[in-house]
Amino acid sequence: MYKVKLIVKLKEGVLDPVGNAISSACRTLGFDNVKEVHTGKYIEFIIDANSEEKVREEVKKLAESFLVNPIIEDYFILEIKKI
Amino acid sequence: MKAAVIAYPGSNCEYDTYYVLNNVLNLKTDLIWHTETNLKEYDLIVIPGGFSFGDYLRAGAMAKISPASLALIEEAYKGKFILGICNGFQILTELGLLPGALIVNTSLRFICKFVDLEVINKDTPFTHKIEKDVIKIPIAHFQGNYFIDEDNLKKLEDNKQIVLTYKENPNGSVKDIAGIINEKQNIFGLMPHPERATESILGSRDGYYIFESVIESIRKS
Protein backbone atom coordinates (compact mmCIF):
# COMPACT_ATOMS: atom_id res chain seq x y z
CA MET A 1 0.00 0.00 0.00
CA TYR A 2 1.11 3.50 -0.78
CA LYS A 3 0.05 6.90 0.44
CA VAL A 4 0.15 9.50 -2.31
CA LYS A 5 -0.10 13.26 -1.93
CA LEU A 6 -1.12 15.13 -5.07
CA ILE A 7 -1.12 18.87 -5.67
CA VAL A 8 -3.30 20.46 -8.36
CA LYS A 9 -2.69 24.12 -9.09
CA LEU A 10 -3.80 26.69 -11.60
CA LYS A 11 -1.46 27.12 -14.55
CA GLU A 12 0.61 30.24 -14.76
CA GLY A 13 -1.37 32.95 -16.50
CA VAL A 14 -4.75 31.63 -15.36
CA LEU A 15 -6.49 34.13 -13.14
CA ASP A 16 -6.55 32.99 -9.50
CA PRO A 17 -9.23 35.11 -7.76
CA VAL A 18 -8.85 33.19 -4.47
CA GLY A 19 -5.08 33.73 -4.47
CA ASN A 20 -5.60 37.41 -5.24
CA ALA A 21 -8.12 37.79 -2.40
CA ILE A 22 -5.69 36.18 0.08
CA SER A 23 -2.90 38.36 -1.24
CA SER A 24 -4.88 41.53 -0.65
CA ALA A 25 -5.88 40.29 2.84
CA CYS A 26 -2.17 39.81 3.60
CA ARG A 27 -1.50 43.43 2.68
CA THR A 28 -4.46 44.61 4.77
CA LEU A 29 -3.01 42.76 7.77
CA GLY A 30 0.41 44.32 7.26
CA PHE A 31 2.25 41.26 5.87
CA ASP A 32 4.03 43.43 3.35
CA ASN A 33 6.63 40.77 2.54
CA VAL A 34 3.98 38.61 0.88
CA LYS A 35 4.28 39.49 -2.80
CA GLU A 36 2.20 36.77 -4.47
CA VAL A 37 -0.28 34.08 -3.39
CA HIS A 38 -1.36 31.09 -5.48
CA THR A 39 -3.97 28.54 -4.45
CA GLY A 40 -4.67 24.97 -5.47
CA LYS A 41 -6.00 21.62 -4.31
CA TYR A 42 -4.48 18.89 -2.20
CA ILE A 43 -5.65 15.31 -2.80
CA GLU A 44 -4.49 12.29 -0.80
CA PHE A 45 -4.88 8.66 -1.90
CA ILE A 46 -4.22 5.29 -0.39
CA ILE A 47 -3.44 3.01 -3.33
CA ASP A 48 -2.97 -0.73 -3.33
CA ALA A 49 -0.14 -1.51 -5.76
CA ASN A 50 3.05 -3.58 -5.98
CA SER A 51 5.48 -0.83 -6.85
CA GLU A 52 5.94 2.92 -6.79
CA GLU A 53 6.04 2.88 -10.57
CA LYS A 54 2.55 1.35 -10.73
CA VAL A 55 1.29 3.98 -8.28
CA ARG A 56 2.67 6.77 -10.44
CA GLU A 57 0.95 5.29 -13.51
CA GLU A 58 -2.34 5.00 -11.63
CA VAL A 59 -2.19 8.59 -10.35
CA LYS A 60 -1.32 9.89 -13.82
CA LYS A 61 -4.37 8.10 -15.26
CA LEU A 62 -6.59 9.44 -12.47
CA ALA A 63 -5.32 12.98 -12.93
CA GLU A 64 -5.71 12.95 -16.67
CA SER A 65 -9.13 11.30 -16.70
CA PHE A 66 -10.88 13.82 -14.45
CA LEU A 67 -8.97 15.13 -11.44
CA VAL A 68 -7.14 17.79 -13.44
CA ASN A 69 -8.40 20.04 -16.24
CA PRO A 70 -5.27 20.52 -18.40
CA ILE A 71 -6.65 23.73 -19.90
CA ILE A 72 -6.35 25.56 -16.59
CA GLU A 73 -4.46 23.27 -14.20
CA ASP A 74 -1.10 21.56 -13.62
CA TYR A 75 -0.43 18.78 -11.17
CA PHE A 76 2.47 17.11 -9.44
CA ILE A 77 2.98 14.35 -6.91
CA LEU A 78 4.17 15.87 -3.65
CA GLU A 79 5.02 12.58 -1.96
CA ILE A 80 4.68 8.81 -2.36
CA LYS A 81 5.17 6.78 0.80
CA LYS A 82 4.97 3.01 1.32
CA ILE A 83 2.68 2.25 4.25
CA MET B 1 -39.13 15.57 -33.02
CA LYS B 2 -38.11 15.09 -29.42
CA ALA B 3 -35.85 16.72 -26.83
CA ALA B 4 -34.14 15.41 -23.71
CA VAL B 5 -33.15 17.37 -20.62
CA ILE B 6 -30.48 15.55 -18.61
CA ALA B 7 -30.69 15.90 -14.82
CA TYR B 8 -27.64 15.13 -12.68
CA PRO B 9 -27.65 14.97 -8.88
CA GLY B 10 -27.51 18.67 -8.01
CA SER B 11 -29.05 20.03 -11.24
CA ASN B 12 -31.70 22.60 -10.33
CA CYS B 13 -32.99 24.06 -13.59
CA GLU B 14 -34.13 20.83 -15.20
CA TYR B 15 -37.85 21.41 -14.54
CA ASP B 16 -37.71 25.03 -15.80
CA THR B 17 -35.96 23.87 -18.96
CA TYR B 18 -38.38 20.96 -19.39
CA TYR B 19 -41.34 23.33 -18.92
CA VAL B 20 -40.03 25.79 -21.46
CA LEU B 21 -39.41 23.15 -24.13
CA ASN B 22 -42.52 21.11 -23.48
CA ASN B 23 -45.09 23.76 -22.55
CA VAL B 24 -43.87 27.07 -23.99
CA LEU B 25 -42.34 25.77 -27.23
CA ASN B 26 -44.61 22.67 -27.46
CA LEU B 27 -41.73 20.34 -28.17
CA LYS B 28 -42.17 16.81 -26.84
CA THR B 29 -39.54 16.55 -24.12
CA ASP B 30 -38.31 13.86 -21.71
CA LEU B 31 -36.56 14.51 -18.43
CA ILE B 32 -33.67 12.04 -18.33
CA TRP B 33 -31.72 10.89 -15.27
CA HIS B 34 -27.93 10.98 -15.62
CA THR B 35 -27.65 7.17 -15.48
CA GLU B 36 -29.33 6.84 -18.90
CA THR B 37 -27.04 5.21 -21.45
CA ASN B 38 -29.01 5.74 -24.66
CA LEU B 39 -29.99 9.13 -26.10
CA LYS B 40 -30.43 8.00 -29.71
CA GLU B 41 -34.11 8.95 -30.02
CA TYR B 42 -33.54 12.66 -29.27
CA ASP B 43 -33.03 15.46 -31.79
CA LEU B 44 -32.03 17.99 -29.13
CA ILE B 45 -30.24 17.26 -25.86
CA VAL B 46 -30.11 19.98 -23.22
CA ILE B 47 -27.87 20.04 -20.15
CA PRO B 48 -29.56 22.37 -17.68
CA GLY B 49 -28.17 24.66 -15.00
CA GLY B 50 -27.46 23.78 -11.40
CA PHE B 51 -24.62 22.39 -9.36
CA SER B 52 -24.12 18.85 -10.63
CA PHE B 53 -22.43 16.76 -7.93
CA GLY B 54 -22.19 19.89 -5.80
CA ASP B 55 -19.58 21.40 -8.17
CA TYR B 56 -17.06 19.23 -6.28
CA LEU B 57 -13.53 19.25 -7.71
CA ARG B 58 -14.50 21.69 -10.50
CA ALA B 59 -17.89 22.66 -11.92
CA GLY B 60 -18.85 19.85 -14.29
CA ALA B 61 -15.86 17.63 -13.50
CA MET B 62 -17.86 14.82 -11.88
CA ALA B 63 -20.79 15.07 -14.32
CA LYS B 64 -18.53 14.35 -17.27
CA ILE B 65 -18.17 10.71 -16.21
CA SER B 66 -21.91 10.04 -15.88
CA PRO B 67 -23.30 7.47 -18.37
CA ALA B 68 -25.62 10.09 -19.92
CA SER B 69 -22.62 12.35 -20.62
CA LEU B 70 -20.89 9.54 -22.49
CA ALA B 71 -24.10 8.87 -24.46
CA LEU B 72 -24.29 12.59 -25.20
CA ILE B 73 -20.77 12.58 -26.68
CA GLU B 74 -21.88 9.86 -29.10
CA GLU B 75 -24.88 11.94 -30.23
CA ALA B 76 -22.76 15.11 -30.40
CA TYR B 77 -20.39 13.46 -32.87
CA LYS B 78 -23.37 12.40 -35.00
CA GLY B 79 -24.23 16.09 -35.31
CA LYS B 80 -27.25 16.18 -32.98
CA PHE B 81 -28.04 19.58 -31.48
CA ILE B 82 -26.70 19.99 -27.94
CA LEU B 83 -27.42 22.98 -25.69
CA GLY B 84 -25.58 23.54 -22.40
CA ILE B 85 -26.94 26.20 -20.08
CA CYS B 86 -24.78 27.49 -17.20
CA ASN B 87 -23.67 24.27 -15.45
CA GLY B 88 -24.45 22.61 -18.79
CA PHE B 89 -21.90 24.89 -20.48
CA GLN B 90 -19.36 24.01 -17.79
CA ILE B 91 -20.02 20.29 -18.38
CA LEU B 92 -19.61 20.69 -22.17
CA THR B 93 -16.18 22.31 -21.70
CA GLU B 94 -15.16 19.60 -19.22
CA LEU B 95 -16.21 16.98 -21.80
CA GLY B 96 -14.04 18.72 -24.38
CA LEU B 97 -17.05 19.31 -26.66
CA LEU B 98 -16.49 23.07 -26.38
CA PRO B 99 -13.07 24.72 -25.99
CA GLY B 100 -11.88 26.61 -22.90
CA ALA B 101 -12.89 26.35 -19.26
CA LEU B 102 -15.04 28.22 -16.74
CA ILE B 103 -13.37 29.37 -13.54
CA VAL B 104 -14.41 31.31 -10.44
CA ASN B 105 -15.79 34.85 -10.97
CA THR B 106 -13.15 37.53 -10.34
CA SER B 107 -15.39 39.05 -7.66
CA LEU B 108 -15.50 35.68 -5.80
CA ARG B 109 -19.24 36.26 -5.58
CA PHE B 110 -22.23 34.33 -6.84
CA ILE B 111 -23.91 36.73 -9.28
CA CYS B 112 -27.64 36.51 -10.03
CA LYS B 113 -29.09 39.31 -12.17
CA PHE B 114 -30.36 40.29 -15.61
CA VAL B 115 -27.55 41.18 -18.02
CA ASP B 116 -27.42 42.69 -21.49
CA LEU B 117 -25.83 40.42 -24.06
CA GLU B 118 -24.59 41.35 -27.47
CA VAL B 119 -25.54 38.82 -30.14
CA ILE B 120 -22.25 38.57 -32.02
CA ASN B 121 -23.24 35.77 -34.39
CA LYS B 122 -26.86 35.47 -35.53
CA ASP B 123 -25.93 33.05 -38.26
CA THR B 124 -26.04 29.90 -36.13
CA PRO B 125 -28.69 27.18 -35.64
CA PHE B 126 -29.24 28.52 -32.10
CA THR B 127 -29.53 32.26 -32.83
CA HIS B 128 -30.96 32.80 -36.32
CA LYS B 129 -34.42 33.76 -35.00
CA ILE B 130 -33.02 36.52 -32.74
CA GLU B 131 -33.80 39.92 -34.24
CA LYS B 132 -32.36 42.26 -31.60
CA ASP B 133 -28.65 43.08 -31.42
CA VAL B 134 -28.71 43.19 -27.62
CA ILE B 135 -30.80 40.76 -25.57
CA LYS B 136 -31.67 40.68 -21.86
CA ILE B 137 -31.26 37.31 -20.10
CA PRO B 138 -30.41 36.56 -16.45
CA ILE B 139 -27.18 35.00 -15.21
CA ALA B 140 -26.81 33.02 -11.97
CA HIS B 141 -23.33 31.63 -11.39
CA PHE B 142 -20.20 31.51 -9.26
CA GLN B 143 -17.92 29.97 -11.90
CA GLY B 144 -18.77 31.78 -15.10
CA ASN B 145 -15.40 33.33 -15.82
CA TYR B 146 -14.56 31.99 -19.28
CA PHE B 147 -10.89 31.19 -19.83
CA ILE B 148 -9.16 30.20 -23.05
CA ASP B 149 -5.53 30.54 -24.17
CA GLU B 150 -4.59 33.02 -26.88
CA ASP B 151 -4.14 30.52 -29.73
CA ASN B 152 -7.53 28.94 -29.14
CA LEU B 153 -9.15 32.35 -28.67
CA LYS B 154 -7.89 33.30 -32.10
CA LYS B 155 -9.48 30.13 -33.52
CA LEU B 156 -12.80 31.03 -31.84
CA GLU B 157 -12.65 34.51 -33.34
CA ASP B 158 -11.59 33.36 -36.80
CA ASN B 159 -14.37 30.76 -36.97
CA LYS B 160 -17.02 33.15 -35.60
CA GLN B 161 -17.61 30.79 -32.66
CA ILE B 162 -18.18 33.59 -30.15
CA VAL B 163 -21.97 33.91 -30.16
CA LEU B 164 -22.83 36.04 -27.11
CA THR B 165 -20.79 38.59 -25.16
CA TYR B 166 -21.62 40.61 -22.04
CA LYS B 167 -22.16 44.35 -22.55
CA GLU B 168 -20.71 44.81 -19.06
CA ASN B 169 -18.42 41.98 -18.04
CA PRO B 170 -19.75 40.58 -14.72
CA ASN B 171 -17.27 37.79 -14.05
CA GLY B 172 -13.88 38.39 -15.69
CA SER B 173 -14.50 36.31 -18.85
CA VAL B 174 -11.90 36.62 -21.61
CA LYS B 175 -13.22 39.04 -24.28
CA ASP B 176 -16.54 39.34 -22.33
CA ILE B 177 -17.52 35.89 -23.64
CA ALA B 178 -20.94 34.63 -22.45
CA GLY B 179 -21.65 31.90 -25.01
CA ILE B 180 -19.78 29.96 -27.70
CA ILE B 181 -20.55 27.39 -30.36
CA ASN B 182 -18.42 24.56 -31.75
CA GLU B 183 -17.00 24.69 -35.25
CA LYS B 184 -19.68 22.37 -36.67
CA GLN B 185 -22.32 24.63 -35.08
CA ASN B 186 -24.31 21.84 -33.42
CA ILE B 187 -23.13 22.41 -29.83
CA PHE B 188 -23.88 25.67 -28.05
CA GLY B 189 -22.95 26.57 -24.48
CA LEU B 190 -23.83 29.74 -22.59
CA MET B 191 -23.65 30.95 -19.00
CA PRO B 192 -26.90 33.02 -19.07
CA HIS B 193 -30.23 31.22 -18.53
CA PRO B 194 -32.47 31.62 -21.62
CA GLU B 195 -35.09 29.35 -19.99
CA ARG B 196 -35.62 32.07 -17.36
CA ALA B 197 -36.54 34.60 -20.04
CA THR B 198 -39.13 32.97 -22.30
CA GLU B 199 -42.39 34.61 -21.19
CA SER B 200 -43.06 38.33 -20.67
CA ILE B 201 -44.24 37.70 -17.11
CA LEU B 202 -40.59 36.85 -16.33
CA GLY B 203 -39.34 40.28 -17.40
CA SER B 204 -37.94 39.25 -20.78
CA ARG B 205 -38.81 36.96 -23.67
CA ASP B 206 -35.41 37.21 -25.33
CA GLY B 207 -34.40 33.68 -24.33
CA TYR B 208 -37.40 32.26 -26.21
CA TYR B 209 -35.74 32.89 -29.57
CA ILE B 210 -32.75 30.67 -28.75
CA PHE B 211 -35.10 27.70 -28.27
CA GLU B 212 -37.20 28.71 -31.28
CA SER B 213 -34.05 28.93 -33.42
CA VAL B 214 -32.82 25.45 -32.58
CA ILE B 215 -36.28 23.89 -32.99
CA GLU B 216 -36.53 25.40 -36.48
CA SER B 217 -33.00 24.17 -37.22
CA ILE B 218 -34.03 20.62 -36.29
CA ARG B 219 -37.08 20.90 -38.54
CA LYS B 220 -34.91 21.97 -41.47
CA SER B 221 -32.24 19.31 -40.94
Side-chain angles (χ1 to χ4, degrees):
Chain A
M1 293 275 222
Y2 288 83
K3 187 183 220 175
V4 184
K5 297 176 178 178
L6 183 80
I7 299 288
V8 182
K9 51 180 294 214
L10 287 169
K11 274 186 177 169
E12 229 169 277
V14 178
L15 197 72
D16 179 1
V18 180
N20 291 345
I22 296 171
S23 178
S24 92
C26 290
R27 278 195 300 280
T28 307
L29 292 170
F31 292 97
D32 295 330
N33 296 335
V34 179
K35 298 302 177 200
E36 279 184 40
V37 180
H38 302 285
T39 60
K41 287 185 200 98
Y42 169 77
I43 306 171
E44 199 175 278
F45 308 89
I46 304 288
I47 297 178
D48 188 5
N50 299 328
S51 69
E52 198 178 305
E53 198 185 323
K54 284 261 184 280
V55 175
R56 281 185 192 278
E57 269 174 38
E58 185 97 340
V59 173
K60 189 170 188 276
K61 272 189 214 158
L62 269 167
E64 286 168 10
S65 60
F66 83 112
L67 289 179
V68 178
N69 181 340
I71 298 168
I72 48 169
E73 295 169 325
D74 281 328
Y75 72 96
F76 64 92
I77 294 171
L78 186 67
E79 189 184 270
I80 299 186
K81 213 162 114 189
K82 198 165 184 183
I83 51 169
Chain B
M1 196 193 307
K2 214 171 171 191
V5 176
I6 303 175
Y8 298 84
S11 295
N12 63 15
C13 301
E14 69 272 34
Y15 285 102
D16 297 17
T17 311
Y18 170 85
Y19 165 79
V20 166
L21 288 167
N22 204 64
N23 300 42
V24 182
L25 277 298
N26 294 315
L27 175 65
K28 172 95 186 76
T29 303
D30 288 342
L31 199 53
I32 298 291
W33 188 231
H34 76 116
T35 49
E36 182 61 54
T37 53
N38 186 342
L39 298 172
K40 287 192 176 95
E41 63 178 302
Y42 301 106
D43 306 289
L44 167 68
I45 304 162
V46 185
I47 313 184
F51 302 88
S52 56
F53 296 90
D55 273 357
Y56 293 165
L57 201 58
R58 294 177 308 277
M62 311 296 256
K64 81 167 178 180
I65 49 180
S66 279
S69 301
L70 304 177
L72 175 129
I73 293 177
E74 239 181 275
E75 301 309 312
Y77 284 125
K78 284 183 203 160
K80 293 270 185 76
F81 290 110
I82 315 278
L83 173 64
I85 301 166
C86 195
N87 190 223
F89 183 18
Q90 294 162 338
I91 294 169
L92 290 176
T93 59
E94 281 285 338
L95 283 169
L97 292 175
L98 288 174
L102 291 138
I103 59 174
V104 176
N105 298 343
T106 40
S107 62
L108 286 175
R109 284 168 198 266
F110 182 92
I111 308 167
C112 182
K113 62 175 186 184
F114 267 106
V115 293
D116 285 335
L117 301 162
E118 201 158 333
V119 189
I120 302 294
N121 189 352
K122 287 183 187 171
D123 193 19
T124 82
F126 294 87
T127 52
H128 62 98
K129 298 291 276 186
I130 301 176
E131 283 177 10
K132 294 181 189 169
D133 295 329
V134 176
I135 56 175
K136 195 173 105 176
I137 293 182
I139 53 166
H141 60 245
F142 180 64
Q143 300 184 53
N145 179 351
Y146 184 74
F147 173 83
I148 191 163
D149 62 45
E150 276 183 25
D151 290 348
N152 284 307
L153 175 65
K154 193 168 181 311
K155 271 191 212 161
L156 277 189
E157 286 173 328
D158 290 350
N159 299 328
K160 296 194 165 71
Q161 287 174 255
I162 300 171
V163 178
L164 298 172
T165 58
Y166 302 105
K167 288 291 276 183
E168 280 176 48
N169 194 331
N171 52 24
S173 289
V174 167
K175 294 273 177 187
D176 309 323
I177 288 172
I180 57 165
I181 197 161
N182 66 332
E183 228 180 307
K184 270 174 70 184
Q185 289 205 334
N186 66 313
I187 306 171
F188 178 40
L190 73 168
M191 285 313 295
H193 285 268
E195 82 282 10
R196 296 187 189 178
T198 55
E199 294 172 289
S200 13
I201 195 170
L202 298 171
S204 166
R205 276 190 83 237
D206 293 346
Y208 177 91
Y209 302 101
I210 290 179
F211 297 102
E212 195 191 28
S213 298
V214 70
I215 289 171
E216 198 180 291
S217 304
I218 297 166
R219 238 178 234 129
K220 280 185 197 157
S221 66

